[in-house]
Amino acid sequence: MPTNSTDAALFSENLAALKAIAPDLARQLEKITAPHTRILYDAHGGADLALFERGLYETDARKFAERQVAEFIARPQRVYLEPPDPVRLKGVVGDFCQRVMARLEAEGLATAAGGNTPDAHFLFSFGVGLGFHLEKLIAATSARVVILIEPNLEFLWHSLHVVDWRVLLRPVLTGERSFVF
């Protein structure tokens, strides 16, 4: 494949889907006409992002993403929030918290500290790149809120050319998931 090969039809369809949930972001992406980055394709059609004429992944981005997701699933990086300890809180806040915690426990809603289920309500992805990791990562975590942090808007622009974002965004339209960009 040539180094400048992109799927313009997929990009247009993805951009339309993105407009429905993030119109400001879609407008910014529409303004990109001459990106400083580009997609590189190897002899087998594997894609990489060229950043300063060097591959970001330095391999096929799809294979890189598969390995990255497998490593995450095997050893997820999680932040656990412990339930508040009403005894350590003082005054009105402590008294209120103690009553709430007792009521939750009586209703069977008390949570176990440090649970380690693979499901996650929130999923943070620090970097979108070409986005090949997102579908599998979302499926593996059952995330309801996906927060994408990508400092290079062109990477997201390129991703719209190679990943079917309509599939990723469809649950947003049904209220099953939220995306935050």
Side-chain angles (χ1 to χ4, degrees):
M1 283 180 141
T3 58
N4 61 355
S5 175
T6 60
D7 189 333
L10 179 63
F11 175 80
S12 294
E13 292 167 1
N14 281 334
L15 193 61
L18 191 59
K19 278 182 187 177
I21 67 156
D24 292 336
L25 177 60
R27 276 192 291 277
Q28 289 180 48
L29 292 169
E30 281 180 312
K31 292 178 185 177
I32 298 174
T33 57
H36 300 286
T37 57
R38 62 191 172 102
I39 299 176
L40 297 173
Y41 291 95
D42 65 22
H44 307 289
D48 193 356
L49 273 170
L51 181 64
F52 304 114
E53 295 308 311
R54 182 174 175 202
L56 176 69
Y57 300 101
E58 296 183 332
T59 187
D60 177 354
R62 193 178 303 273
K63 291 178 182 172
F64 181 92
E66 287 172 5
R67 186 175 62 249
Q68 187 180 41
V69 171
E71 289 172 3
F72 173 80
I73 292 169
R75 218 170 138 230
Q77 298 170 346
R78 304 268 177 153
V79 175
Y80 294 106
L81 299 176
E82 298 294 330
D85 183 0
V87 175
R88 293 179 56 199
L89 298 172
K90 302 214 187 294
V92 175
V93 173
D95 294 342
F96 173 75
C97 185
Q98 204 164 15
R99 287 193 307 273
V100 168
M101 296 299 287
R103 182 172 175 197
L104 287 172
E105 190 172 333
E107 296 289 329
L109 298 174
T111 59
N116 59 6
T117 172
D119 294 347
H121 188 73
F122 291 93
L123 172 65
F124 288 82
S125 180
F126 294 94
V128 172
L130 286 176
F132 291 128
H133 63 296
L134 295 173
E135 187 174 3
K136 288 184 179 180
L137 197 54
I138 291 166
T141 61
S142 302
R144 299 232 339 112
V145 179
V146 179
I147 301 166
L148 301 177
I149 302 161
E150 177 54 74
N152 190 327
L153 196 57
E154 288 184 12
F155 290 177
L156 181 57
W157 184 84
H158 287 299
S159 177
L160 295 179
H161 289 87
V162 296
V163 170
D164 190 348
W165 279 80
R166 296 166 301 173
V167 172
L168 293 172
L169 298 176
R170 192 170 295 126
V172 175
L173 299 174
T174 61
E176 299 170 51
R177 180 172 300 124
S178 299
F179 269 83
V180 179
F181 296 91

PDB file of all heavy atoms in Angstrom, residues 37-71:
ATOM      1  N   THR A  37       1.656  14.876  10.433  1.00  0.00           N
ATOM      2  CA  THR A  37       1.924  13.455  10.647  1.00  0.00           C
ATOM      3  C   THR A  37       1.263  12.690   9.517  1.00  0.00           C
ATOM      4  O   THR A  37       0.435  13.234   8.785  1.00  0.00           O
ATOM      5  CB  THR A  37       1.353  12.983  12.000  1.00  0.00           C
ATOM      6  OG1 THR A  37      -0.049  13.264  12.022  1.00  0.00           O
ATOM      7  CG2 THR A  37       2.030  13.682  13.164  1.00  0.00           C
ATOM      8  N   ARG A  38       1.609  11.416   9.380  1.00  0.00           N
ATOM      9  CA  ARG A  38       0.987  10.608   8.331  1.00  0.00           C
ATOM     10  C   ARG A  38       1.008   9.145   8.749  1.00  0.00           C
ATOM     11  O   ARG A  38       1.703   8.763   9.674  1.00  0.00           O
ATOM     12  CB  ARG A  38       1.675  10.798   6.992  1.00  0.00           C
ATOM     13  CG  ARG A  38       3.112  10.376   6.963  1.00  0.00           C
ATOM     14  CD  ARG A  38       3.803  10.848   5.674  1.00  0.00           C
ATOM     15  NE  ARG A  38       5.219  10.594   5.763  1.00  0.00           N
ATOM     16  CZ  ARG A  38       5.825   9.587   5.164  1.00  0.00           C
ATOM     17  NH1 ARG A  38       5.140   8.753   4.405  1.00  0.00           N
ATOM     18  NH2 ARG A  38       7.114   9.412   5.290  1.00  0.00           N
ATOM     19  N   ILE A  39       0.211   8.364   8.049  1.00  0.00           N
ATOM     20  CA  ILE A  39       0.199   6.920   8.282  1.00  0.00           C
ATOM     21  C   ILE A  39       1.220   6.293   7.343  1.00  0.00           C
ATOM     22  O   ILE A  39       1.249   6.593   6.154  1.00  0.00           O
ATOM     23  CB  ILE A  39      -1.201   6.323   8.042  1.00  0.00           C
ATOM     24  CG1 ILE A  39      -2.229   6.939   8.984  1.00  0.00           C
ATOM     25  CG2 ILE A  39      -1.160   4.811   8.214  1.00  0.00           C
ATOM     26  CD1 ILE A  39      -3.654   6.470   8.753  1.00  0.00           C
ATOM     27  N   LEU A  40       2.051   5.438   7.905  1.00  0.00           N
ATOM     28  CA  LEU A  40       2.998   4.650   7.119  1.00  0.00           C
ATOM     29  C   LEU A  40       2.440   3.245   6.993  1.00  0.00           C
ATOM     30  O   LEU A  40       1.918   2.706   7.967  1.00  0.00           O
ATOM     31  CB  LEU A  40       4.347   4.565   7.839  1.00  0.00           C
ATOM     32  CG  LEU A  40       5.114   5.847   8.082  1.00  0.00           C
ATOM     33  CD1 LEU A  40       6.326   5.556   8.957  1.00  0.00           C
ATOM     34  CD2 LEU A  40       5.541   6.455   6.767  1.00  0.00           C
ATOM     35  N   TYR A  41       2.551   2.648   5.830  1.00  0.00           N
ATOM     36  CA  TYR A  41       2.121   1.276   5.634  1.00  0.00           C
ATOM     37  C   TYR A  41       3.324   0.422   5.267  1.00  0.00           C
ATOM     38  O   TYR A  41       4.158   0.827   4.459  1.00  0.00           O
ATOM     39  CB  TYR A  41       1.069   1.183   4.521  1.00  0.00           C
ATOM     40  CG  TYR A  41      -0.248   1.813   4.909  1.00  0.00           C
ATOM     41  CD1 TYR A  41      -0.539   3.125   4.563  1.00  0.00           C
ATOM     42  CD2 TYR A  41      -1.182   1.098   5.633  1.00  0.00           C
ATOM     43  CE1 TYR A  41      -1.751   3.700   4.924  1.00  0.00           C
ATOM     44  CE2 TYR A  41      -2.396   1.665   6.000  1.00  0.00           C
ATOM     45  CZ  TYR A  41      -2.665   2.965   5.642  1.00  0.00           C
ATOM     46  OH  TYR A  41      -3.858   3.536   6.003  1.00  0.00           O
ATOM     47  N   ASP A  42       3.403  -0.758   5.872  1.00  0.00           N
ATOM     48  CA  ASP A  42       4.482  -1.674   5.500  1.00  0.00           C
ATOM     49  C   ASP A  42       4.038  -2.506   4.295  1.00  0.00           C
ATOM     50  O   ASP A  42       2.921  -2.349   3.792  1.00  0.00           O
ATOM     51  CB  ASP A  42       4.929  -2.535   6.682  1.00  0.00           C
ATOM     52  CG  ASP A  42       3.861  -3.496   7.200  1.00  0.00           C
ATOM     53  OD1 ASP A  42       2.913  -3.833   6.451  1.00  0.00           O
ATOM     54  OD2 ASP A  42       3.969  -3.936   8.366  1.00  0.00           O
ATOM     55  N   ALA A  43       4.891  -3.395   3.848  1.00  0.00           N
ATOM     56  CA  ALA A  43       4.615  -4.206   2.657  1.00  0.00           C
ATOM     57  C   ALA A  43       3.398  -5.111   2.826  1.00  0.00           C
ATOM     58  O   ALA A  43       2.788  -5.538   1.843  1.00  0.00           O
ATOM     59  CB  ALA A  43       5.844  -5.043   2.312  1.00  0.00           C
ATOM     60  N   HIS A  44       3.011  -5.387   4.074  1.00  0.00           N
ATOM     61  CA  HIS A  44       1.878  -6.276   4.354  1.00  0.00           C
ATOM     62  C   HIS A  44       0.606  -5.499   4.703  1.00  0.00           C
ATOM     63  O   HIS A  44      -0.382  -6.092   5.104  1.00  0.00           O
ATOM     64  CB  HIS A  44       2.230  -7.233   5.491  1.00  0.00           C
ATOM     65  CG  HIS A  44       3.505  -7.991   5.250  1.00  0.00           C
ATOM     66  ND1 HIS A  44       3.607  -8.991   4.310  1.00  0.00           N
ATOM     67  CD2 HIS A  44       4.733  -7.862   5.802  1.00  0.00           C
ATOM     68  CE1 HIS A  44       4.835  -9.464   4.299  1.00  0.00           C
ATOM     69  NE2 HIS A  44       5.544  -8.795   5.195  1.00  0.00           N
ATOM     70  N   GLY A  45       0.659  -4.183   4.588  1.00  0.00           N
ATOM     71  CA  GLY A  45      -0.508  -3.360   4.892  1.00  0.00           C
ATOM     72  C   GLY A  45      -0.612  -2.941   6.341  1.00  0.00           C
ATOM     73  O   GLY A  45      -1.581  -2.304   6.734  1.00  0.00           O
ATOM     74  N   GLY A  46       0.391  -3.285   7.164  1.00  0.00           N
ATOM     75  CA  GLY A  46       0.387  -2.870   8.566  1.00  0.00           C
ATOM     76  C   GLY A  46       0.613  -1.370   8.669  1.00  0.00           C
ATOM     77  O   GLY A  46       1.454  -0.799   7.965  1.00  0.00           O
ATOM     78  N   ALA A  47      -0.137  -0.723   9.526  1.00  0.00           N
ATOM     79  CA  ALA A  47      -0.082   0.732   9.658  1.00  0.00           C
ATOM     80  C   ALA A  47       0.739   1.151  10.865  1.00  0.00           C
ATOM     81  O   ALA A  47       0.756   0.479  11.898  1.00  0.00           O
ATOM     82  CB  ALA A  47      -1.495   1.288   9.783  1.00  0.00           C
ATOM     83  N   ASP A  48       1.401   2.283  10.729  1.00  0.00           N
ATOM     84  CA  ASP A  48       2.118   2.941  11.816  1.00  0.00           C
ATOM     85  C   ASP A  48       1.933   4.440  11.612  1.00  0.00           C
ATOM     86  O   ASP A  48       1.623   4.890  10.508  1.00  0.00           O
ATOM     87  CB  ASP A  48       3.610   2.573  11.784  1.00  0.00           C
ATOM     88  CG  ASP A  48       4.366   2.963  13.055  1.00  0.00           C
ATOM     89  OD1 ASP A  48       3.765   3.591  13.949  1.00  0.00           O
ATOM     90  OD2 ASP A  48       5.558   2.644  13.144  1.00  0.00           O
ATOM     91  N   LEU A  49       2.096   5.208  12.657  1.00  0.00           N
ATOM     92  CA  LEU A  49       2.010   6.660  12.553  1.00  0.00           C
ATOM     93  C   LEU A  49       3.411   7.231  12.417  1.00  0.00           C
ATOM     94  O   LEU A  49       4.293   6.915  13.220  1.00  0.00           O
ATOM     95  CB  LEU A  49       1.362   7.245  13.814  1.00  0.00           C
ATOM     96  CG  LEU A  49      -0.144   7.313  13.815  1.00  0.00           C
ATOM     97  CD1 LEU A  49      -0.665   7.668  15.205  1.00  0.00           C
ATOM     98  CD2 LEU A  49      -0.646   8.325  12.808  1.00  0.00           C
ATOM     99  N   ALA A  50       3.608   8.073  11.422  1.00  0.00           N
ATOM    100  CA  ALA A  50       4.894   8.742  11.255  1.00  0.00           C
ATOM    101  C   ALA A  50       4.877  10.038  12.047  1.00  0.00           C
ATOM    102  O   ALA A  50       4.039  10.906  11.816  1.00  0.00           O
ATOM    103  CB  ALA A  50       5.159   9.030   9.784  1.00  0.00           C
ATOM    104  N   LEU A  51       5.776  10.123  12.976  1.00  0.00           N
ATOM    105  CA  LEU A  51       5.934  11.316  13.802  1.00  0.00           C
ATOM    106  C   LEU A  51       7.389  11.736  13.669  1.00  0.00           C
ATOM    107  O   LEU A  51       8.283  10.995  14.085  1.00  0.00           O
ATOM    108  CB  LEU A  51       5.573  10.993  15.257  1.00  0.00           C
ATOM    109  CG  LEU A  51       5.665  12.113  16.259  1.00  0.00           C
ATOM    110  CD1 LEU A  51       4.660  13.215  15.929  1.00  0.00           C
ATOM    111  CD2 LEU A  51       5.395  11.585  17.663  1.00  0.00           C
ATOM    112  N   PHE A  52       7.628  12.896  13.049  1.00  0.00           N
ATOM    113  CA  PHE A  52       8.995  13.346  12.756  1.00  0.00           C
ATOM    114  C   PHE A  52       9.745  12.292  11.944  1.00  0.00           C
ATOM    115  O   PHE A  52      10.886  11.971  12.219  1.00  0.00           O
ATOM    116  CB  PHE A  52       9.752  13.702  14.037  1.00  0.00           C
ATOM    117  CG  PHE A  52       9.055  14.727  14.882  1.00  0.00           C
ATOM    118  CD1 PHE A  52       8.559  14.398  16.126  1.00  0.00           C
ATOM    119  CD2 PHE A  52       8.865  16.018  14.408  1.00  0.00           C
ATOM    120  CE1 PHE A  52       7.907  15.340  16.906  1.00  0.00           C
ATOM    121  CE2 PHE A  52       8.204  16.968  15.181  1.00  0.00           C
ATOM    122  CZ  PHE A  52       7.727  16.637  16.429  1.00  0.00           C
ATOM    123  N   GLU A  53       9.044  11.734  10.963  1.00  0.00           N
ATOM    124  CA  GLU A  53       9.593  10.723  10.044  1.00  0.00           C
ATOM    125  C   GLU A  53      10.045   9.439  10.732  1.00  0.00           C
ATOM    126  O   GLU A  53      10.822   8.666  10.188  1.00  0.00           O
ATOM    127  CB  GLU A  53      10.729  11.316   9.191  1.00  0.00           C
ATOM    128  CG  GLU A  53      10.257  12.406   8.253  1.00  0.00           C
ATOM    129  CD  GLU A  53       9.070  11.999   7.377  1.00  0.00           C
ATOM    130  OE1 GLU A  53       9.109  10.923   6.757  1.00  0.00           O
ATOM    131  OE2 GLU A  53       8.096  12.770   7.312  1.00  0.00           O
ATOM    132  N   ARG A  54       9.568   9.209  11.916  1.00  0.00           N
ATOM    133  CA  ARG A  54       9.869   7.971  12.630  1.00  0.00           C
ATOM    134  C   ARG A  54       8.543   7.350  13.050  1.00  0.00           C
ATOM    135  O   ARG A  54       7.620   8.053  13.460  1.00  0.00           O
ATOM    136  CB  ARG A  54      10.712   8.288  13.864  1.00  0.00           C
ATOM    137  CG  ARG A  54      11.106   7.067  14.630  1.00  0.00           C
ATOM    138  CD  ARG A  54      12.050   7.428  15.736  1.00  0.00           C
ATOM    139  NE  ARG A  54      12.315   6.238  16.511  1.00  0.00           N
ATOM    140  CZ  ARG A  54      12.739   6.259  17.738  1.00  0.00           C
ATOM    141  NH1 ARG A  54      12.974   7.391  18.337  1.00  0.00           N
ATOM    142  NH2 ARG A  54      12.942   5.139  18.388  1.00  0.00           N
ATOM    143  N   GLY A  55       8.456   6.039  12.992  1.00  0.00           N
ATOM    144  CA  GLY A  55       7.225   5.364  13.367  1.00  0.00           C
ATOM    145  C   GLY A  55       6.963   5.483  14.867  1.00  0.00           C
ATOM    146  O   GLY A  55       7.854   5.257  15.679  1.00  0.00           O
ATOM    147  N   LEU A  56       5.744   5.844  15.217  1.00  0.00           N
ATOM    148  CA  LEU A  56       5.371   5.944  16.631  1.00  0.00           C
ATOM    149  C   LEU A  56       5.411   4.573  17.289  1.00  0.00           C
ATOM    150  O   LEU A  56       5.922   4.408  18.394  1.00  0.00           O
ATOM    151  CB  LEU A  56       3.968   6.547  16.760  1.00  0.00           C
ATOM    152  CG  LEU A  56       3.400   6.635  18.172  1.00  0.00           C
ATOM    153  CD1 LEU A  56       4.167   7.680  18.978  1.00  0.00           C
ATOM    154  CD2 LEU A  56       1.927   7.001  18.142  1.00  0.00           C
ATOM    155  N   TYR A  57       4.866   3.584  16.622  1.00  0.00           N
ATOM    156  CA  TYR A  57       4.813   2.232  17.167  1.00  0.00           C
ATOM    157  C   TYR A  57       6.065   1.423  16.824  1.00  0.00           C
ATOM    158  O   TYR A  57       6.365   0.443  17.474  1.00  0.00           O
ATOM    159  CB  TYR A  57       3.575   1.487  16.640  1.00  0.00           C
ATOM    160  CG  TYR A  57       2.270   2.153  17.001  1.00  0.00           C
ATOM    161  CD1 TYR A  57       1.582   2.924  16.066  1.00  0.00           C
ATOM    162  CD2 TYR A  57       1.722   2.022  18.265  1.00  0.00           C
ATOM    163  CE1 TYR A  57       0.380   3.534  16.380  1.00  0.00           C
ATOM    164  CE2 TYR A  57       0.517   2.628  18.595  1.00  0.00           C
ATOM    165  CZ  TYR A  57      -0.144   3.385  17.644  1.00  0.00           C
ATOM    166  OH  TYR A  57      -1.334   3.984  17.961  1.00  0.00           O
ATOM    167  N   GLU A  58       6.712   1.802  15.745  1.00  0.00           N
ATOM    168  CA  GLU A  58       7.892   1.109  15.214  1.00  0.00           C
ATOM    169  C   GLU A  58       7.590  -0.344  14.849  1.00  0.00           C
ATOM    170  O   GLU A  58       8.462  -1.198  14.855  1.00  0.00           O
ATOM    171  CB  GLU A  58       9.084   1.220  16.161  1.00  0.00           C
ATOM    172  CG  GLU A  58       9.545   2.663  16.334  1.00  0.00           C
ATOM    173  CD  GLU A  58      10.769   2.808  17.198  1.00  0.00           C
ATOM    174  OE1 GLU A  58      10.997   1.960  18.093  1.00  0.00           O
ATOM    175  OE2 GLU A  58      11.501   3.786  16.983  1.00  0.00           O
ATOM    176  N   THR A  59       6.325  -0.610  14.576  1.00  0.00           N
ATOM    177  CA  THR A  59       5.844  -1.913  14.128  1.00  0.00           C
ATOM    178  C   THR A  59       4.418  -1.706  13.632  1.00  0.00           C
ATOM    179  O   THR A  59       3.916  -0.575  13.649  1.00  0.00           O
ATOM    180  CB  THR A  59       5.894  -2.956  15.272  1.00  0.00           C
ATOM    181  OG1 THR A  59       5.574  -4.241  14.753  1.00  0.00           O
ATOM    182  CG2 THR A  59       4.939  -2.609  16.406  1.00  0.00           C
ATOM    183  N   ASP A  60       3.752  -2.757  13.232  1.00  0.00           N
ATOM    184  CA  ASP A  60       2.350  -2.686  12.839  1.00  0.00           C
ATOM    185  C   ASP A  60       1.524  -2.271  14.059  1.00  0.00           C
ATOM    186  O   ASP A  60       1.530  -2.946  15.092  1.00  0.00           O
ATOM    187  CB  ASP A  60       1.925  -4.062  12.308  1.00  0.00           C
ATOM    188  CG  ASP A  60       0.464  -4.147  11.930  1.00  0.00           C
ATOM    189  OD1 ASP A  60      -0.301  -3.186  12.162  1.00  0.00           O
ATOM    190  OD2 ASP A  60       0.069  -5.187  11.393  1.00  0.00           O
ATOM    191  N   ALA A  61       0.847  -1.145  13.963  1.00  0.00           N
ATOM    192  CA  ALA A  61       0.089  -0.600  15.097  1.00  0.00           C
ATOM    193  C   ALA A  61      -0.989  -1.562  15.595  1.00  0.00           C
ATOM    194  O   ALA A  61      -1.277  -1.616  16.792  1.00  0.00           O
ATOM    195  CB  ALA A  61      -0.541   0.732  14.710  1.00  0.00           C
ATOM    196  N   ARG A  62      -1.584  -2.319  14.692  1.00  0.00           N
ATOM    197  CA  ARG A  62      -2.635  -3.274  15.103  1.00  0.00           C
ATOM    198  C   ARG A  62      -2.038  -4.368  15.989  1.00  0.00           C
ATOM    199  O   ARG A  62      -2.589  -4.710  17.030  1.00  0.00           O
ATOM    200  CB  ARG A  62      -3.312  -3.875  13.875  1.00  0.00           C
ATOM    201  CG  ARG A  62      -4.587  -4.624  14.185  1.00  0.00           C
ATOM    202  CD  ARG A  62      -5.244  -5.153  12.921  1.00  0.00           C
ATOM    203  NE  ARG A  62      -5.543  -4.139  11.938  1.00  0.00           N
ATOM    204  CZ  ARG A  62      -6.675  -3.415  11.909  1.00  0.00           C
ATOM    205  NH1 ARG A  62      -7.590  -3.604  12.828  1.00  0.00           N
ATOM    206  NH2 ARG A  62      -6.885  -2.524  10.969  1.00  0.00           N
ATOM    207  N   LYS A  63      -0.894  -4.901  15.602  1.00  0.00           N
ATOM    208  CA  LYS A  63      -0.220  -5.930  16.410  1.00  0.00           C
ATOM    209  C   LYS A  63       0.262  -5.346  17.732  1.00  0.00           C
ATOM    210  O   LYS A  63       0.171  -5.987  18.785  1.00  0.00           O
ATOM    211  CB  LYS A  63       0.948  -6.537  15.641  1.00  0.00           C
ATOM    212  CG  LYS A  63       0.513  -7.389  14.472  1.00  0.00           C
ATOM    213  CD  LYS A  63       1.702  -7.931  13.709  1.00  0.00           C
ATOM    214  CE  LYS A  63       1.225  -8.734  12.502  1.00  0.00           C
ATOM    215  NZ  LYS A  63       2.329  -9.115  11.625  1.00  0.00           N
ATOM    216  N   PHE A  64       0.766  -4.124  17.685  1.00  0.00           N
ATOM    217  CA  PHE A  64       1.200  -3.441  18.904  1.00  0.00           C
ATOM    218  C   PHE A  64       0.029  -3.315  19.878  1.00  0.00           C
ATOM    219  O   PHE A  64       0.155  -3.592  21.069  1.00  0.00           O
ATOM    220  CB  PHE A  64       1.758  -2.055  18.552  1.00  0.00           C
ATOM    221  CG  PHE A  64       2.256  -1.276  19.737  1.00  0.00           C
ATOM    222  CD1 PHE A  64       3.586  -1.344  20.117  1.00  0.00           C
ATOM    223  CD2 PHE A  64       1.394  -0.469  20.465  1.00  0.00           C
ATOM    224  CE1 PHE A  64       4.051  -0.620  21.210  1.00  0.00           C
ATOM    225  CE2 PHE A  64       1.846   0.256  21.554  1.00  0.00           C
ATOM    226  CZ  PHE A  64       3.183   0.182  21.929  1.00  0.00           C
ATOM    227  N   ALA A  65      -1.131  -2.899  19.358  1.00  0.00           N
ATOM    228  CA  ALA A  65      -2.320  -2.714  20.189  1.00  0.00           C
ATOM    229  C   ALA A  65      -2.797  -4.040  20.779  1.00  0.00           C
ATOM    230  O   ALA A  65      -3.190  -4.094  21.950  1.00  0.00           O
ATOM    231  CB  ALA A  65      -3.440  -2.064  19.379  1.00  0.00           C
ATOM    232  N   GLU A  66      -2.777  -5.109  19.990  1.00  0.00           N
ATOM    233  CA  GLU A  66      -3.188  -6.421  20.500  1.00  0.00           C
ATOM    234  C   GLU A  66      -2.306  -6.850  21.670  1.00  0.00           C
ATOM    235  O   GLU A  66      -2.803  -7.335  22.681  1.00  0.00           O
ATOM    236  CB  GLU A  66      -3.134  -7.460  19.381  1.00  0.00           C
ATOM    237  CG  GLU A  66      -4.246  -7.304  18.366  1.00  0.00           C
ATOM    238  CD  GLU A  66      -4.085  -8.216  17.154  1.00  0.00           C
ATOM    239  OE1 GLU A  66      -3.156  -9.060  17.136  1.00  0.00           O
ATOM    240  OE2 GLU A  66      -4.899  -8.076  16.220  1.00  0.00           O
ATOM    241  N   ARG A  67      -1.011  -6.650  21.532  1.00  0.00           N
ATOM    242  CA  ARG A  67      -0.084  -6.999  22.609  1.00  0.00           C
ATOM    243  C   ARG A  67      -0.305  -6.106  23.841  1.00  0.00           C
ATOM    244  O   ARG A  67      -0.340  -6.575  24.969  1.00  0.00           O
ATOM    245  CB  ARG A  67       1.365  -6.880  22.106  1.00  0.00           C
ATOM    246  CG  ARG A  67       2.402  -7.358  23.095  1.00  0.00           C
ATOM    247  CD  ARG A  67       3.830  -7.352  22.536  1.00  0.00           C
ATOM    248  NE  ARG A  67       4.259  -6.007  22.171  1.00  0.00           N
ATOM    249  CZ  ARG A  67       4.462  -5.567  20.928  1.00  0.00           C
ATOM    250  NH1 ARG A  67       4.264  -6.376  19.897  1.00  0.00           N
ATOM    251  NH2 ARG A  67       4.849  -4.331  20.699  1.00  0.00           N
ATOM    252  N   GLN A  68      -0.513  -4.823  23.596  1.00  0.00           N
ATOM    253  CA  GLN A  68      -0.733  -3.878  24.689  1.00  0.00           C
ATOM    254  C   GLN A  68      -2.002  -4.225  25.476  1.00  0.00           C
ATOM    255  O   GLN A  68      -2.000  -4.213  26.709  1.00  0.00           O
ATOM    256  CB  GLN A  68      -0.830  -2.470  24.098  1.00  0.00           C
ATOM    257  CG  GLN A  68      -0.897  -1.359  25.115  1.00  0.00           C
ATOM    258  CD  GLN A  68      -0.997  -0.011  24.426  1.00  0.00           C
ATOM    259  OE1 GLN A  68      -1.705   0.149  23.428  1.00  0.00           O
ATOM    260  NE2 GLN A  68      -0.285   0.969  24.960  1.00  0.00           N
ATOM    261  N   VAL A  69      -3.084  -4.545  24.783  1.00  0.00           N
ATOM    262  CA  VAL A  69      -4.341  -4.900  25.451  1.00  0.00           C
ATOM    263  C   VAL A  69      -4.179  -6.215  26.211  1.00  0.00           C
ATOM    264  O   VAL A  69      -4.641  -6.337  27.351  1.00  0.00           O
ATOM    265  CB  VAL A  69      -5.509  -4.972  24.445  1.00  0.00           C
ATOM    266  CG1 VAL A  69      -6.757  -5.557  25.098  1.00  0.00           C
ATOM    267  CG2 VAL A  69      -5.809  -3.587  23.885  1.00  0.00           C
ATOM    268  N   ALA A  70      -3.521  -7.193  25.617  1.00  0.00           N
ATOM    269  CA  ALA A  70      -3.297  -8.479  26.301  1.00  0.00           C
ATOM    270  C   ALA A  70      -2.496  -8.272  27.584  1.00  0.00           C
ATOM    271  O   ALA A  70      -2.810  -8.866  28.627  1.00  0.00           O
ATOM    272  CB  ALA A  70      -2.571  -9.447  25.374  1.00  0.00           C
ATOM    273  N   GLU A  71      -1.484  -7.413  27.534  1.00  0.00           N
ATOM    274  CA  GLU A  71      -0.695  -7.126  28.737  1.00  0.00           C
ATOM    275  C   GLU A  71      -1.541  -6.430  29.793  1.00  0.00           C
ATOM    276  O   GLU A  71      -1.422  -6.717  30.981  1.00  0.00           O
ATOM    277  CB  GLU A  71       0.527  -6.279  28.380  1.00  0.00           C
ATOM    278  CG  GLU A  71       1.582  -7.037  27.614  1.00  0.00           C
ATOM    279  CD  GLU A  71       2.706  -6.152  27.093  1.00  0.00           C
ATOM    280  OE1 GLU A  71       2.708  -4.923  27.370  1.00  0.00           O
ATOM    281  OE2 GLU A  71       3.590  -6.692  26.392  1.00  0.00           O
TER     282      GLU A  71
END
